[in-house]
Amino acid sequence: MSLYAAVIVPLPVHGTFHYEVPEHLRPSLRVGHRVSVPFGPRRLTGFVVGFSEQPPEGVKGKIRRISDVLDDEALLTADLLALITFASDYYLSPMGEVLKVALPPGLTAASQVVLRATSKGRAVLESVSDPKLKDALVAASRATGVKRNTLDKKVVEQMLAEGWAGVRESFDAKSAAETVEVLERRIASGDDAEKHLRRAPAQRALFDRLSSGPATVEALGIELGRDSVRRAMKGLLAAELIERRREAKESWPTMACDPGHEAALALSDDQRHALDRILGAFEAGTPEAFLLRGVTGSGKTEVYLQAIAKARAAGKTAIVLVPEIALTSQLEARFRARFGDDVAVLHSAMTDKERRQSWHRLRHGRAGIALGPRSAIWAPVENVGILVVDEEHDASFKQHNDLRYNGRDLALFRAKKTGAVAVLGSATPALETRHLAEQGRLTELRLAQRIHGRPMPKVVLVDLARAMETEHELPMFTRPLEDALRETVSSGEQAILFLNRRGFNSVVICDECAEVRKCPACSVSLTHHKSTRSLVCHYCGHTERLEQACKKCSSLAMKPYGFGTERVAEALAALIPEARVIRLDRDITSKVGALEDVLGKFRRREADVLVGTQMVAKGHDFPGVTLVGILCADASLAFPDFRAAERTFQLMTQVAGRAGRAERPGRVIVQTFQPTHYALNAAIEHDDDLFFRVECESRRGAGYPPFGRLGLVRVESEDAGRASKTAAQLGELARAACKDEGLRARGPIPAPIERIRGRYRHMLMLTAPSPARLVQAMRFVRDRMGKVPNGVDVVFDVDAVDML
């Protein structure tokens, strides 16, 4: 009876591919195994996701066979395979694309062919290398009168039938017995095989090389010559002296285990209550999800650590997601202090080999805690007991290319599917998360106070409009902020200055005709970077020299305006010369190791002031920081996105939370043109309930999240006409998909940034009352859109968070 396997391959194609399973592979092949399969003229690495005894319906022609199994055990666990399948279905992405995201780079790469001697070959090797063989052959030659080099199996077998009489007569009893034993082994190994090797020196050379152990075809080709190895392989395989097998390219050595040494910290009453509720669900074995809503500095991380310790003691594994790689290194230090080498980190800043090694440590049980940004949700751990999503509100949990998944949402799915406990932690939960808690679908746990009863920082708003009336220009540092900075530096304390705009100047304008220098490939202005004397597009990377003439009037009178983090750092160093100022933004962290270097210097108090973008706002714990200055709180409020107010509130609250986390109280100075805005006032008062109520009312009527699910269909092309025409056609399909009550299609309209990297962008917005209905409507559009014109890309973004 035939057996067929459904296989997924790492290509952007929907569905699975079916292969016949050869008889010799059936005993060892399982779902989740990595296999080598022919795919057109190529050979690919795929994964088995199912079996059937009947050939798939509709398949024409001969079904091809699986070439080989690449691992002794299945690499994809049932849990991970279920997550991959769900993500493919929900995010409307081919399973092959999900596979590439879920697995570390290189795990789906082409395998290598390894040659090794067969049992028959090993017997021949043992025979031909026996030092007694020459003497035995001499004796046999004397006994038979046949020349030694023409002795064949038939002659030796005849001698055996005659009881080795001639051999026994030529030696004493002991030597005769040894000679007979050697010749009998030679018969068992096959005299024909030895003759075959004597007639084929290339095969003998390859065979002798394999006597020292298996080797890859690639390595043998370098050593013995590719053509020689290729020809010799055929003869040795036909003689059944060697065998070949496709195997993974790397081995994964075990590591010495450091068990960790740091003891658990004493908990506050709020922390103890939260931990008891989490452990109660864990011990009951119920897949409950919690929202751990704690103010900044309230000790959420300690709750995570102690809950995970209980899970590990019970033999369960854990997954911890953090929003940024910058936070991964900080949390890694805390987790390793507590758990040692039981922690395996997964993130994109690691080398490909490091990621594969971490992945294999988790897969084979040599580490039980996976830590990293959103991609750590794909950790191949089994028997999951707890999943933690720290700073769950952060938009970086949503991937914005290829598979557009949300790590937080997949964590909730994986926890429910595996019966694990999920903990979403934040001082400023996403509105969707708060809404789930209001509905009772998440259990809310509050940490209302900072640890040790430390006060929340005092926040002061400074009206930039009034400051401009006094100083007659937009001040970078208003008088209250300047005075506070001087006081902080002189007292030996530290400060953080936040501005979510990198570069030196935000815009360059021609003094003659007022033309703004824009990117030729994107609908955005260029940013001036003084250190390189260049203008840079932060979307596509296009660079121009500052000295270039105006493209409209050819004037050289180009003047930069505005300020970014580069200019702020320079201005502050000039304003307060004794201040040691360092910067943290993407321009700085583009160099390998720069991120850890900057954070380490500031943590060791080798700098007084840290100037940075939103990278400084997320979860960092700097005990020396007593002052936070927000230079322009209005920047994010102006974004053309219905989430602008929410993100501003979260960002202000989070960056303000870096102040006063140790013994000294903290203060925050916020410079703004909109001092009465509800998002800023809620942040000042540390009142997330107020913000939640006001913001929900502004979204309810439009059906925006959390009162509905939002999907975007984006159309991009270098040809503006093709992009517009395709978007219009998809708009008709979207309206047809949204005829039922509760569904709504908006657009198509040009994207807020209409052109990026030379591609024109249009978008459609679909809203639905539930996830299932949103996916159904978007699948309706995808399945009916037909062949997309050449040069046009269509992207389906389920549960979109980025409107730009």
Side-chain angles (χ1 to χ4, degrees):
M1 181 179 293
S2 298
L3 182 66
Y4 302 91
V7 176
I8 53 176
V9 294
L11 294 176
V13 286
H14 288 277
T16 57
F17 297 87
H18 293 82
Y19 293 86
E20 186 177 354
V21 182
E23 189 80 32
H24 70 283
L25 295 181
R26 293 181 190 178
S28 61
L29 192 60
R30 301 287 184 272
V31 169
H33 253 129
R34 189 166 50 151
V35 293
S36 175
V37 295
F39 196 89
R42 296 180 288 171
R43 190 176 300 279
L44 296 178
T45 297
F47 286 84
V48 175
V49 295
F51 294 102
S52 65
E53 295 181 350
Q54 299 298 323
E57 296 181 4
V59 175
K60 297 179 181 180
K62 185 179 180 180
I63 297 178
R64 304 173 81 177
R65 288 185 155 203
I66 289 177
S67 301
D68 217 334
V69 180
L70 302 183
D71 305 285
D72 293 333
E73 62 179 346
L75 288 189
L76 287 187
T77 64
D79 165 29
L80 190 54
L81 186 56
L83 186 66
I84 289 171
T85 303
F86 169 78
S88 172
D89 184 63
Y90 186 74
Y91 293 107
L92 304 177
S93 184
M95 286 189 73
E97 286 289 294
V98 183
L99 200 63
K100 287 198 292 186
V101 172
L103 301 178
L107 207 62
T108 57
S111 55
Q112 59 191 359
V113 177
V114 176
L115 300 183
R116 54 168 52 85
T118 60
S119 56
K120 177 181 176 181
R122 286 191 295 273
V124 171
L125 283 169
E126 183 180 350
S127 172
V128 298
S129 61
D130 193 328
K132 297 178 181 177
L133 176 61
K134 182 177 180 180
D135 292 339
L137 290 175
V138 169
S141 177
R142 289 174 181 170
T144 59
V146 179
K147 291 183 178 180
R148 190 179 68 189
N149 62 352
T150 59
L151 276 171
D152 59 16
K153 187 176 180 181
K154 184 176 181 181
V155 173
V156 177
E157 284 180 338
Q158 181 182 348
M159 293 172 60
L160 176 62
E162 295 173 355
W164 301 102
V167 174
R168 297 183 192 282
E169 290 172 2
S170 303
F171 294 91
D172 58 44
K174 181 179 179 183
S175 297
E178 290 177 348
T179 303
V180 168
E181 181 185 352
V182 170
L183 291 171
E184 286 177 341
R185 284 205 306 270
R186 187 176 187 217
I187 291 175
S189 66
D191 181 68
D192 291 341
E194 291 182 35
K195 282 190 172 182
H196 177 82
L197 291 175
R198 284 200 299 270
R199 292 194 299 267
Q203 293 183 30
R204 180 60 186 264
L206 176 58
F207 194 61
D208 287 346
R209 170 64 181 79
L210 294 175
S211 66
S212 59
T216 66
V217 170
E218 182 180 8
L220 291 168
I222 295 172
E223 185 177 338
L224 303 175
R226 290 182 176 83
D227 292 339
S228 175
V229 168
R230 187 168 59 249
R231 289 194 300 270
M233 276 173 56
K234 293 180 180 179
L236 294 174
L237 288 168
E240 299 181 347
L241 296 178
I242 67 170
E243 62 182 358
R244 63 180 174 184
R245 180 168 180 175
R246 291 188 174 274
E247 295 183 354
K249 286 192 173 182
E250 294 168 302
S251 60
W252 312 107
T254 57
M255 296 177 62
C257 183
D258 171 13
H261 58 274
E262 182 184 84
L265 303 179
L267 300 179
S268 67
D269 291 342
D270 284 350
Q271 287 175 304
R272 172 55 59 190
H273 172 73
L275 180 63
D276 288 345
R277 291 293 305 276
I278 294 168
L279 293 181
F282 172 76
E283 291 164 1
T286 56
E288 190 169 354
F290 296 91
L291 167 59
L292 184 59
R293 183 176 155 214
V295 300
T296 56
S298 58
K300 295 183 287 294
T301 303
E302 186 62 28
V303 175
Y304 305 152
L305 288 166
Q306 296 198 25
I308 290 169
K310 291 288 186 181
R312 292 300 291 137
K316 297 282 188 174
T317 59
I319 298 174
V320 182
L321 304 186
V322 295
E324 291 278 358
I325 293 173
L327 285 185
T328 303
S329 58
Q330 177 177 303
L331 273 183
E332 181 185 1
R334 289 200 64 182
F335 271 71
R336 287 203 186 281
R338 193 73 57 91
F339 300 110
D341 288 330
D342 197 32
V343 179
V345 175
L346 294 167
H347 61 70
S348 59
M350 302 166 69
T351 66
D352 290 350
K353 186 170 183 178
E354 287 171 339
R355 291 167 71 182
R356 289 193 294 273
Q357 287 176 333
S358 286
W359 196 91
H360 277 272
R361 287 184 62 219
L362 292 164
R363 175 65 187 89
H364 296 110
R366 294 195 278 272
I369 302 170
L371 172 67
R374 60 177 178 264
S375 58
I377 191 57
W378 308 104
V381 290
E382 295 186 277
N383 203 21
V384 182
I386 182 169
L387 290 100
V388 172
V389 184
D390 191 31
E391 310 291 359
E392 65 81 29
H393 65 276
D394 200 280
S396 66
F397 283 120
K398 174 74 169 179
Q399 179 155 300
H400 299 298
N401 54 21
D402 299 324
L403 173 67
R404 288 166 165 76
Y405 71 96
N406 191 310
R408 175 198 63 200
D409 296 346
L410 288 186
L412 290 173
F413 171 84
R414 189 169 184 179
K416 185 175 182 180
K417 190 75 175 177
T418 58
V421 171
V423 181
L424 311 184
S426 178
T428 54
L431 261 66
E432 294 91 329
T433 307
R434 282 286 305 270
H435 189 62
L436 289 176
E438 297 265 329
Q439 292 178 317
R441 295 166 64 186
L442 294 176
T443 301
E444 184 174 310
L445 306 172
R446 290 298 307 273
L447 302 180
Q449 293 185 332
R450 287 184 159 185
I451 55 175
H452 306 308
R454 291 169 183 151
M456 296 298 292
K458 180 182 178 182
V459 184
V460 176
L461 280 182
V462 178
D463 189 340
L464 284 174
R466 290 190 176 182
M468 285 183 67
E469 291 175 2
T470 304
E471 302 188 28
H472 309 295
E473 63 177 357
L474 177 62
M476 187 181 299
F477 311 110
T478 57
R479 179 59 59 185
L481 180 56
E482 180 183 337
D483 291 344
L485 283 166
R486 292 185 184 279
E487 181 183 338
T488 300
V489 171
S490 65
S491 62
E493 297 167 359
Q494 291 178 296
I496 291 176
L497 292 183
F498 168 75
L499 177 66
N500 210 17
R501 185 187 301 128
R502 57 193 173 104
F504 197 82
N505 301 104
S506 54
V507 66
V508 174
I509 302 175
C510 175
D511 258 4
E512 295 292 334
C513 68
E515 179 76 0
V516 175
R517 286 280 284 274
K518 291 185 177 180
C519 175
C522 305
S523 302
V524 296
S525 60
L526 297 173
T527 300
H528 174 219
H529 289 254
K530 185 180 179 181
S531 60
T532 57
R533 292 195 59 80
S534 60
L535 304 180
V536 179
C537 174
H538 290 168
Y539 284 87
C540 73
H542 170 79
T543 302
E544 297 179 2
R545 300 302 299 172
L546 176 62
E547 296 83 1
Q548 283 182 224
C550 174
K551 295 180 180 180
K552 184 176 180 181
C553 71
S554 300
S555 170
L556 293 176
M558 307 302 298
K559 187 173 181 180
Y561 293 89
F563 51 86
T565 50
E566 184 184 8
R567 185 178 172 192
V568 170
E570 181 180 291
L572 180 60
L575 181 69
I576 310 176
E578 66 273 23
R580 297 169 298 170
V581 182
I582 55 175
R583 223 173 82 222
L584 184 64
D585 55 36
R586 292 200 182 279
D587 297 325
I588 294 294
T589 60
S590 59
K591 300 173 185 176
V592 176
L595 174 64
E596 293 78 9
D597 182 52
V598 171
L599 293 175
K601 282 182 178 178
F602 197 61
R603 190 170 287 112
R604 294 190 300 271
R605 306 190 73 159
E606 295 172 11
D608 304 305
V609 184
L610 176 63
V611 178
T613 58
Q614 62 182 350
M615 300 177 77
V616 305
K618 300 179 180 181
H620 300 295
D621 191 354
F622 300 118
V625 173
T626 57
L627 172 66
V628 166
I630 300 173
L631 300 188
C632 186
D634 308 271
S636 54
L637 283 173
F639 273 43
D641 189 329
F642 71 89
R643 289 189 174 92
E646 179 183 8
R647 287 179 179 154
T648 300
F649 168 74
Q650 291 167 340
L651 203 51
M652 297 303 105
T653 302
Q654 291 289 338
V655 73
R658 301 314 104 203
R661 296 171 72 95
E663 290 75 18
R664 297 294 302 273
R667 52 180 169 165
V668 182
I669 297 176
V670 181
Q671 300 181 163
T672 177
F673 284 103
Q674 304 179 66
T676 61
H677 196 285
Y678 67 92
L680 299 182
N681 280 280
I684 288 173
E685 299 297 331
H686 309 290
D687 191 345
D688 54 344
D689 289 324
L690 169 64
F691 176 78
F692 180 72
R693 289 194 303 271
V694 176
E695 184 67 11
C696 280
E697 286 307 309
S698 72
R699 298 189 192 181
R700 193 185 304 272
Y704 288 147
F707 303 104
R709 305 301 281 244
L710 170 69
L712 292 182
V713 181
R714 292 188 175 91
V715 181
E716 299 182 3
S717 176
E718 293 181 0
D719 187 312
R722 285 186 181 182
S724 178
K725 183 178 180 180
T726 303
Q729 293 169 346
L730 294 181
E732 294 300 321
L733 287 174
R735 281 181 281 278
C738 295
K739 287 182 177 178
D740 294 342
E741 185 179 355
L743 297 169
R744 185 174 178 181
R746 298 177 175 90
I749 59 172
I753 302 176
E754 187 174 359
R755 192 164 171 256
I756 294 180
R757 298 182 182 90
R759 299 176 68 79
Y760 293 90
R761 309 164 69 242
H762 294 257
M763 67 183 202
L764 294 152
M765 185 187 301
L766 288 78
T767 53
S770 69
R773 295 186 69 186
L774 175 64
V775 172
Q776 183 182 30
M778 296 185 74
R779 186 178 285 115
F780 179 96
V781 177
R782 185 199 67 182
D783 293 346
R784 288 164 176 77
M785 69 181 183
K787 182 174 173 54
V788 175
N790 290 336
V792 176
D793 291 326
V794 178
V795 174
F796 292 86
D797 190 356
V798 179
D799 292 335
V801 299
D802 181 10
M803 303 296 294
L804 297 182

